[in-house]
Amino acid sequence: MLDLTAIRAELHAHYDLEPSLELAESMSEIHARMDRVVPLPDWAIAAPYVKAINRLKAERDAVVLAHNYMTPQIYHGIADVVGDSLALAIEATRVKADVIVQCGVHFMAETSKILNPAKTVLMPDMEAGCSLAESIDAPGIAEMRARHPGAAVVSYVNTTAEVKAASDICCTSANAAQIVAAMEGDTVIMTPDKYLAQNVARQVPQKRIVWWDGRCIVHERFTPQDLRDFRGWHPDLKIIAHPECTPDVVAEADFAGSTAGILDWVAREKPAKAMLVTECSMASNISDAHPEVEFLGPCNMCPYMKKITLEKILWSLHTMTGAVEVDPEIAARARVAVQRMIDLSRRLAA
Ligand code: 13P
Ligand code: SF4
């Protein structure tokens, strides 16, 4: 566990991190991307960190790959690339800089390391896990193969490198249905997200899909009644859900897609009122870009994603600690599964 008291003391000894309205105002161009959700006093607290991190990025030849669930201060302040799991994996293959700072959760950093092993991949907090990734290990995959001999194993990228290495191919929420439809054979094993599997089963009825019993602790909290309540209160509301939600929730929504799919849908449809049935930062991150849209709904945060803070990012770049390593033999096998997904996704999109 990171000793935040010691970290704070050392960072303050090296950088001027005192809140500064003057500095905040001098960085108003960055603040303008999030000023509807980050008031000036809060920006005055974040700005010194953003300045220090952006300087260190240049010194260390580092790029920041940030998932759509990062806070607005990270998403707008320091990220070089933002996106869903698929986009971040593809971007990781293209990074030329020496260092990748992965602002997301541990499996994403592992994926970057698998795809670009020569780079130093920094994870600002190693405890940023994922309930899905923690729900299955390689023996779990072997158990599923024994139960369904000959069936292809499609594992969500929200898995450890060891699980990816034991799988035939990976998928993300952006391409799961297409990947499953492209598998040979009648039966396809999907791990570890049972709700994603059940949602894909509706989209790909020609396949018999069997699943592992994993769940996302953030998305499983939304209920169909939540959605019906909000629709009752706001009849013109558009509801957009992530496919990690239960099938009953997805059935109540107007659209379901990956985090990037959700952002694209809002940009395209520009609804007057929208409820994003996913992690809370998503709406915050696009609120300034879409002033015409009123975002409503409960704020469910991912406790793992929220472990990544500006302070920990600065610390990892300052000390160059938190480098993610993957056993080369496991990485080689995991790379086959991830690369197959990327290649197949590209072919299907062409
Ligand atoms: P996507 O960004 O790929 O939709 O994934 C959501 C998620 O929960 C990542 O942990
Ligand atoms: Fe994992 Fe769910 Fe958090 Fe995504 S939102 S990292 S799936 S626990």
Side-chain angles (χ1 to χ4, degrees), residues 210-229:
V210 293
W211 50 78
W212 187 256
D213 190 22
R215 282 159 298 172
C216 163
I217 56 164
V218 180
H219 292 93
E220 73 172 350
R221 276 163 56 197
F222 295 99
T223 67
Q225 191 58 47
D226 293 335
L227 276 63
R228 285 195 289 268
D229 284 346

PDB file of all heavy atoms in Angstrom, residues 210-229:
ATOM      1  N   VAL A 210     -21.948 -19.700 -23.291  1.00  0.00           N
ATOM      2  CA  VAL A 210     -21.884 -20.092 -21.878  1.00  0.00           C
ATOM      3  C   VAL A 210     -20.918 -19.139 -21.192  1.00  0.00           C
ATOM      4  O   VAL A 210     -19.998 -18.620 -21.822  1.00  0.00           O
ATOM      5  CB  VAL A 210     -21.453 -21.565 -21.717  1.00  0.00           C
ATOM      6  CG1 VAL A 210     -22.520 -22.499 -22.251  1.00  0.00           C
ATOM      7  CG2 VAL A 210     -20.110 -21.836 -22.406  1.00  0.00           C
ATOM      8  N   TRP A 211     -21.144 -18.882 -19.906  1.00  0.00           N
ATOM      9  CA  TRP A 211     -20.383 -17.806 -19.271  1.00  0.00           C
ATOM     10  C   TRP A 211     -19.878 -18.192 -17.896  1.00  0.00           C
ATOM     11  O   TRP A 211     -20.375 -19.094 -17.253  1.00  0.00           O
ATOM     12  CB  TRP A 211     -21.222 -16.537 -19.184  1.00  0.00           C
ATOM     13  CG  TRP A 211     -22.590 -16.728 -18.613  1.00  0.00           C
ATOM     14  CD1 TRP A 211     -22.917 -16.874 -17.294  1.00  0.00           C
ATOM     15  CD2 TRP A 211     -23.815 -16.820 -19.353  1.00  0.00           C
ATOM     16  NE1 TRP A 211     -24.259 -17.030 -17.160  1.00  0.00           N
ATOM     17  CE2 TRP A 211     -24.838 -16.991 -18.399  1.00  0.00           C
ATOM     18  CE3 TRP A 211     -24.153 -16.757 -20.713  1.00  0.00           C
ATOM     19  CZ2 TRP A 211     -26.183 -17.129 -18.765  1.00  0.00           C
ATOM     20  CZ3 TRP A 211     -25.484 -16.886 -21.070  1.00  0.00           C
ATOM     21  CH2 TRP A 211     -26.484 -17.062 -20.109  1.00  0.00           C
ATOM     22  N   TRP A 212     -18.917 -17.415 -17.455  1.00  0.00           N
ATOM     23  CA  TRP A 212     -18.365 -17.463 -16.102  1.00  0.00           C
ATOM     24  C   TRP A 212     -19.211 -16.530 -15.241  1.00  0.00           C
ATOM     25  O   TRP A 212     -19.883 -15.639 -15.776  1.00  0.00           O
ATOM     26  CB  TRP A 212     -16.909 -16.995 -16.155  1.00  0.00           C
ATOM     27  CG  TRP A 212     -16.148 -17.144 -14.871  1.00  0.00           C
ATOM     28  CD1 TRP A 212     -15.815 -16.143 -14.000  1.00  0.00           C
ATOM     29  CD2 TRP A 212     -15.610 -18.346 -14.320  1.00  0.00           C
ATOM     30  NE1 TRP A 212     -15.106 -16.647 -12.951  1.00  0.00           N
ATOM     31  CE2 TRP A 212     -14.968 -18.006 -13.110  1.00  0.00           C
ATOM     32  CE3 TRP A 212     -15.614 -19.685 -14.730  1.00  0.00           C
ATOM     33  CZ2 TRP A 212     -14.321 -18.946 -12.309  1.00  0.00           C
ATOM     34  CZ3 TRP A 212     -14.975 -20.626 -13.930  1.00  0.00           C
ATOM     35  CH2 TRP A 212     -14.347 -20.259 -12.740  1.00  0.00           C
ATOM     36  N   ASP A 213     -19.130 -16.710 -13.904  1.00  0.00           N
ATOM     37  CA  ASP A 213     -20.029 -15.928 -13.043  1.00  0.00           C
ATOM     38  C   ASP A 213     -19.375 -14.642 -12.531  1.00  0.00           C
ATOM     39  O   ASP A 213     -19.431 -14.343 -11.345  1.00  0.00           O
ATOM     40  CB  ASP A 213     -20.501 -16.810 -11.869  1.00  0.00           C
ATOM     41  CG  ASP A 213     -21.605 -16.149 -11.073  1.00  0.00           C
ATOM     42  OD1 ASP A 213     -22.279 -15.255 -11.615  1.00  0.00           O
ATOM     43  OD2 ASP A 213     -21.772 -16.510  -9.895  1.00  0.00           O
ATOM     44  N   GLY A 214     -18.748 -13.863 -13.406  1.00  0.00           N
ATOM     45  CA  GLY A 214     -18.135 -12.603 -12.967  1.00  0.00           C
ATOM     46  C   GLY A 214     -19.076 -11.431 -13.172  1.00  0.00           C
ATOM     47  O   GLY A 214     -19.959 -11.477 -14.035  1.00  0.00           O
ATOM     48  N   ARG A 215     -18.893 -10.387 -12.361  1.00  0.00           N
ATOM     49  CA  ARG A 215     -19.735  -9.190 -12.484  1.00  0.00           C
ATOM     50  C   ARG A 215     -18.939  -7.920 -12.203  1.00  0.00           C
ATOM     51  O   ARG A 215     -17.993  -7.960 -11.400  1.00  0.00           O
ATOM     52  CB  ARG A 215     -20.881  -9.258 -11.463  1.00  0.00           C
ATOM     53  CG  ARG A 215     -21.976 -10.174 -11.902  1.00  0.00           C
ATOM     54  CD  ARG A 215     -22.807 -10.635 -10.745  1.00  0.00           C
ATOM     55  NE  ARG A 215     -21.986 -11.397  -9.800  1.00  0.00           N
ATOM     56  CZ  ARG A 215     -22.424 -11.798  -8.606  1.00  0.00           C
ATOM     57  NH1 ARG A 215     -23.644 -11.524  -8.236  1.00  0.00           N
ATOM     58  NH2 ARG A 215     -21.633 -12.474  -7.809  1.00  0.00           N
ATOM     59  N   CYS A 216     -19.338  -6.855 -12.835  1.00  0.00           N
ATOM     60  CA  CYS A 216     -18.739  -5.549 -12.538  1.00  0.00           C
ATOM     61  C   CYS A 216     -19.519  -4.952 -11.367  1.00  0.00           C
ATOM     62  O   CYS A 216     -20.737  -4.760 -11.473  1.00  0.00           O
ATOM     63  CB  CYS A 216     -18.829  -4.637 -13.754  1.00  0.00           C
ATOM     64  SG  CYS A 216     -18.581  -2.906 -13.300  1.00  0.00           S
ATOM     65  N   ILE A 217     -18.803  -4.635 -10.300  1.00  0.00           N
ATOM     66  CA  ILE A 217     -19.496  -4.128  -9.093  1.00  0.00           C
ATOM     67  C   ILE A 217     -20.093  -2.737  -9.296  1.00  0.00           C
ATOM     68  O   ILE A 217     -20.899  -2.298  -8.497  1.00  0.00           O
ATOM     69  CB  ILE A 217     -18.549  -4.090  -7.862  1.00  0.00           C
ATOM     70  CG1 ILE A 217     -17.298  -3.252  -8.165  1.00  0.00           C
ATOM     71  CG2 ILE A 217     -18.208  -5.497  -7.403  1.00  0.00           C
ATOM     72  CD1 ILE A 217     -16.532  -2.853  -6.925  1.00  0.00           C
ATOM     73  N   VAL A 218     -19.681  -2.056 -10.334  1.00  0.00           N
ATOM     74  CA  VAL A 218     -20.226  -0.717 -10.594  1.00  0.00           C
ATOM     75  C   VAL A 218     -21.529  -0.836 -11.394  1.00  0.00           C
ATOM     76  O   VAL A 218     -22.570  -0.285 -11.015  1.00  0.00           O
ATOM     77  CB  VAL A 218     -19.213   0.158 -11.371  1.00  0.00           C
ATOM     78  CG1 VAL A 218     -19.790   1.548 -11.642  1.00  0.00           C
ATOM     79  CG2 VAL A 218     -17.897   0.255 -10.597  1.00  0.00           C
ATOM     80  N   HIS A 219     -21.471  -1.583 -12.493  1.00  0.00           N
ATOM     81  CA  HIS A 219     -22.642  -1.655 -13.380  1.00  0.00           C
ATOM     82  C   HIS A 219     -23.769  -2.523 -12.835  1.00  0.00           C
ATOM     83  O   HIS A 219     -24.927  -2.301 -13.171  1.00  0.00           O
ATOM     84  CB  HIS A 219     -22.196  -2.124 -14.773  1.00  0.00           C
ATOM     85  CG  HIS A 219     -21.353  -1.094 -15.470  1.00  0.00           C
ATOM     86  ND1 HIS A 219     -19.984  -1.092 -15.389  1.00  0.00           N
ATOM     87  CD2 HIS A 219     -21.699  -0.022 -16.213  1.00  0.00           C
ATOM     88  CE1 HIS A 219     -19.513  -0.057 -16.080  1.00  0.00           C
ATOM     89  NE2 HIS A 219     -20.532   0.607 -16.584  1.00  0.00           N
ATOM     90  N   GLU A 220     -23.443  -3.513 -11.988  1.00  0.00           N
ATOM     91  CA  GLU A 220     -24.514  -4.374 -11.472  1.00  0.00           C
ATOM     92  C   GLU A 220     -25.406  -3.613 -10.487  1.00  0.00           C
ATOM     93  O   GLU A 220     -26.474  -4.080 -10.127  1.00  0.00           O
ATOM     94  CB  GLU A 220     -23.948  -5.641 -10.828  1.00  0.00           C
ATOM     95  CG  GLU A 220     -23.287  -5.421  -9.500  1.00  0.00           C
ATOM     96  CD  GLU A 220     -22.907  -6.715  -8.785  1.00  0.00           C
ATOM     97  OE1 GLU A 220     -23.320  -7.801  -9.232  1.00  0.00           O
ATOM     98  OE2 GLU A 220     -22.191  -6.615  -7.775  1.00  0.00           O
ATOM     99  N   ARG A 221     -24.957  -2.428 -10.044  1.00  0.00           N
ATOM    100  CA  ARG A 221     -25.756  -1.670  -9.074  1.00  0.00           C
ATOM    101  C   ARG A 221     -26.957  -0.974  -9.702  1.00  0.00           C
ATOM    102  O   ARG A 221     -27.906  -0.605  -9.010  1.00  0.00           O
ATOM    103  CB  ARG A 221     -24.875  -0.642  -8.367  1.00  0.00           C
ATOM    104  CG  ARG A 221     -24.140  -1.253  -7.194  1.00  0.00           C
ATOM    105  CD  ARG A 221     -22.976  -0.422  -6.720  1.00  0.00           C
ATOM    106  NE  ARG A 221     -23.326   0.941  -6.367  1.00  0.00           N
ATOM    107  CZ  ARG A 221     -22.426   1.917  -6.239  1.00  0.00           C
ATOM    108  NH1 ARG A 221     -21.148   1.652  -6.444  1.00  0.00           N
ATOM    109  NH2 ARG A 221     -22.784   3.132  -5.903  1.00  0.00           N
ATOM    110  N   PHE A 222     -26.909  -0.750 -11.004  1.00  0.00           N
ATOM    111  CA  PHE A 222     -28.061  -0.109 -11.652  1.00  0.00           C
ATOM    112  C   PHE A 222     -29.187  -1.139 -11.788  1.00  0.00           C
ATOM    113  O   PHE A 222     -28.936  -2.291 -12.166  1.00  0.00           O
ATOM    114  CB  PHE A 222     -27.694   0.391 -13.048  1.00  0.00           C
ATOM    115  CG  PHE A 222     -26.657   1.500 -13.049  1.00  0.00           C
ATOM    116  CD1 PHE A 222     -25.325   1.225 -13.301  1.00  0.00           C
ATOM    117  CD2 PHE A 222     -27.030   2.814 -12.800  1.00  0.00           C
ATOM    118  CE1 PHE A 222     -24.372   2.242 -13.316  1.00  0.00           C
ATOM    119  CE2 PHE A 222     -26.088   3.838 -12.805  1.00  0.00           C
ATOM    120  CZ  PHE A 222     -24.749   3.553 -13.071  1.00  0.00           C
ATOM    121  N   THR A 223     -30.417  -0.714 -11.513  1.00  0.00           N
ATOM    122  CA  THR A 223     -31.549  -1.637 -11.656  1.00  0.00           C
ATOM    123  C   THR A 223     -32.511  -1.099 -12.721  1.00  0.00           C
ATOM    124  O   THR A 223     -32.556   0.124 -12.962  1.00  0.00           O
ATOM    125  CB  THR A 223     -32.342  -1.757 -10.334  1.00  0.00           C
ATOM    126  OG1 THR A 223     -32.970  -0.499 -10.072  1.00  0.00           O
ATOM    127  CG2 THR A 223     -31.439  -2.134  -9.160  1.00  0.00           C
ATOM    128  N   PRO A 224     -33.327  -1.980 -13.320  1.00  0.00           N
ATOM    129  CA  PRO A 224     -34.319  -1.502 -14.294  1.00  0.00           C
ATOM    130  C   PRO A 224     -35.250  -0.469 -13.667  1.00  0.00           C
ATOM    131  O   PRO A 224     -35.660   0.485 -14.325  1.00  0.00           O
ATOM    132  CB  PRO A 224     -35.087  -2.769 -14.688  1.00  0.00           C
ATOM    133  CG  PRO A 224     -34.231  -3.905 -14.291  1.00  0.00           C
ATOM    134  CD  PRO A 224     -33.351  -3.432 -13.174  1.00  0.00           C
ATOM    135  N   GLN A 225     -35.534  -0.627 -12.347  1.00  0.00           N
ATOM    136  CA  GLN A 225     -36.424   0.335 -11.684  1.00  0.00           C
ATOM    137  C   GLN A 225     -35.793   1.736 -11.636  1.00  0.00           C
ATOM    138  O   GLN A 225     -36.491   2.738 -11.815  1.00  0.00           O
ATOM    139  CB  GLN A 225     -36.784  -0.163 -10.265  1.00  0.00           C
ATOM    140  CG  GLN A 225     -37.904   0.623  -9.608  1.00  0.00           C
ATOM    141  CD  GLN A 225     -39.209   0.610 -10.440  1.00  0.00           C
ATOM    142  OE1 GLN A 225     -39.657  -0.442 -10.909  1.00  0.00           O
ATOM    143  NE2 GLN A 225     -39.812   1.789 -10.647  1.00  0.00           N
ATOM    144  N   ASP A 226     -34.448   1.790 -11.434  1.00  0.00           N
ATOM    145  CA  ASP A 226     -33.752   3.101 -11.466  1.00  0.00           C
ATOM    146  C   ASP A 226     -34.055   3.792 -12.792  1.00  0.00           C
ATOM    147  O   ASP A 226     -34.372   4.980 -12.853  1.00  0.00           O
ATOM    148  CB  ASP A 226     -32.219   2.942 -11.405  1.00  0.00           C
ATOM    149  CG  ASP A 226     -31.720   2.406 -10.085  1.00  0.00           C
ATOM    150  OD1 ASP A 226     -32.422   2.581  -9.087  1.00  0.00           O
ATOM    151  OD2 ASP A 226     -30.610   1.828 -10.065  1.00  0.00           O
ATOM    152  N   LEU A 227     -33.927   3.023 -13.870  1.00  0.00           N
ATOM    153  CA  LEU A 227     -34.103   3.614 -15.203  1.00  0.00           C
ATOM    154  C   LEU A 227     -35.555   4.052 -15.404  1.00  0.00           C
ATOM    155  O   LEU A 227     -35.823   5.140 -15.931  1.00  0.00           O
ATOM    156  CB  LEU A 227     -33.678   2.620 -16.301  1.00  0.00           C
ATOM    157  CG  LEU A 227     -32.177   2.589 -16.622  1.00  0.00           C
ATOM    158  CD1 LEU A 227     -31.330   2.145 -15.438  1.00  0.00           C
ATOM    159  CD2 LEU A 227     -31.882   1.690 -17.812  1.00  0.00           C
ATOM    160  N   ARG A 228     -36.472   3.189 -14.942  1.00  0.00           N
ATOM    161  CA  ARG A 228     -37.903   3.533 -15.105  1.00  0.00           C
ATOM    162  C   ARG A 228     -38.248   4.770 -14.283  1.00  0.00           C
ATOM    163  O   ARG A 228     -38.982   5.642 -14.728  1.00  0.00           O
ATOM    164  CB  ARG A 228     -38.783   2.335 -14.698  1.00  0.00           C
ATOM    165  CG  ARG A 228     -38.793   1.225 -15.749  1.00  0.00           C
ATOM    166  CD  ARG A 228     -39.938   0.244 -15.500  1.00  0.00           C
ATOM    167  NE  ARG A 228     -39.694  -0.578 -14.331  1.00  0.00           N
ATOM    168  CZ  ARG A 228     -39.091  -1.775 -14.352  1.00  0.00           C
ATOM    169  NH1 ARG A 228     -38.675  -2.294 -15.504  1.00  0.00           N
ATOM    170  NH2 ARG A 228     -38.903  -2.459 -13.237  1.00  0.00           N
ATOM    171  N   ASP A 229     -37.678   4.860 -13.074  1.00  0.00           N
ATOM    172  CA  ASP A 229     -37.929   6.038 -12.224  1.00  0.00           C
ATOM    173  C   ASP A 229     -37.488   7.303 -12.942  1.00  0.00           C
ATOM    174  O   ASP A 229     -38.240   8.274 -13.048  1.00  0.00           O
ATOM    175  CB  ASP A 229     -37.158   5.928 -10.896  1.00  0.00           C
ATOM    176  CG  ASP A 229     -37.805   4.945  -9.935  1.00  0.00           C
ATOM    177  OD1 ASP A 229     -38.972   4.558 -10.173  1.00  0.00           O
ATOM    178  OD2 ASP A 229     -37.134   4.548  -8.956  1.00  0.00           O
TER     179      ASP A 229
END
